[in-house]
Amino acid sequence: MATWEKIDSFKKRVKKEGVTMTYLFVSEMRIPPEVVAASLESYYQVPFMRFDPNVIPPKKLLKKLNMSYLRRQLWVPLAGELDDELVILIDDPSDVSRHMEIQRALPAKKYIFRVGFAEDILQY
């Protein structure tokens, strides 16, 4: 069971060691990834998505973005068209500042967010 002290310790390690909370929950607390995924989905109220090698982000969208920027910001466009509807995989769908950055970088009428593990986002 996670305690607030353990979570605070993990937060410090995330910054210091460059690992993710997901990694620490799964590897050290032995919480199954499916349970962490369900928790994220419930918390953010958006569908969870794992890496799927059959889903290929549209090249025309990726051309407009800097890959190192996407790695740092932990989001990736997975489907859609500019000026229409875009599907975005992100590690924190509640991050308003990143929403604004996404809107500036990829103007669309509608954004559909999916939450994912940082490790999965980086695989794209």
Side-chain angles (χ1 to χ4, degrees):
M1 182 65 73
T3 65
W4 289 113
E5 294 82 21
K6 188 67 141 174
I7 290 172
D8 286 339
S9 164
F10 281 0
K11 284 181 182 178
K12 290 175 186 165
R13 289 183 58 198
V14 163
K15 289 180 182 175
K16 184 179 178 183
E17 299 172 22
V19 296
T20 64
M21 289 290 273
T22 303
Y23 172 80
L24 294 173
F25 284 141
V26 172
S27 66
E28 293 193 12
M29 297 192 72
R30 305 278 188 244
I31 299 173
E34 302 78 31
V35 172
V36 177
S39 295
L40 291 172
E41 190 172 75
S42 176
Y43 179 78
Y44 290 115
Q45 294 296 298
V46 299
F48 180 85
M49 185 174 172
R50 295 289 319 241
F51 175 74
D52 181 345
N54 298 312
V55 174
I56 300 169
K59 285 184 169 72
K60 63 186 170 208
L61 295 178
L62 292 178
K63 283 182 189 176
K64 298 185 169 293
L65 303 165
N66 179 295
M67 289 303 114
S68 62
Y69 163 78
L70 287 178
R71 282 185 206 99
R72 282 191 318 273
Q73 295 298 313
L74 290 174
W75 66 271
V76 65
L78 292 182
E81 298 286 332
L82 289 178
D83 297 325
D84 191 21
E85 183 176 282
L86 295 177
V87 177
I88 306 290
L89 180 62
I90 191 168
D91 71 321
D92 180 355
S94 69
D95 187 333
V96 176
S97 65
R98 281 196 284 168
H99 279 232
M100 291 175 14
E101 288 180 26
I102 292 167
Q103 290 170 356
R104 277 192 295 275
L106 299 173
K109 291 179 184 169
K110 182 177 180 183
Y111 299 88
I112 300 168
F113 288 94
R114 302 285 183 261
V115 64
F117 296 145
E119 298 84 358
D120 289 339
I121 295 168
L122 292 171
Q123 285 190 274
Y124 284 105

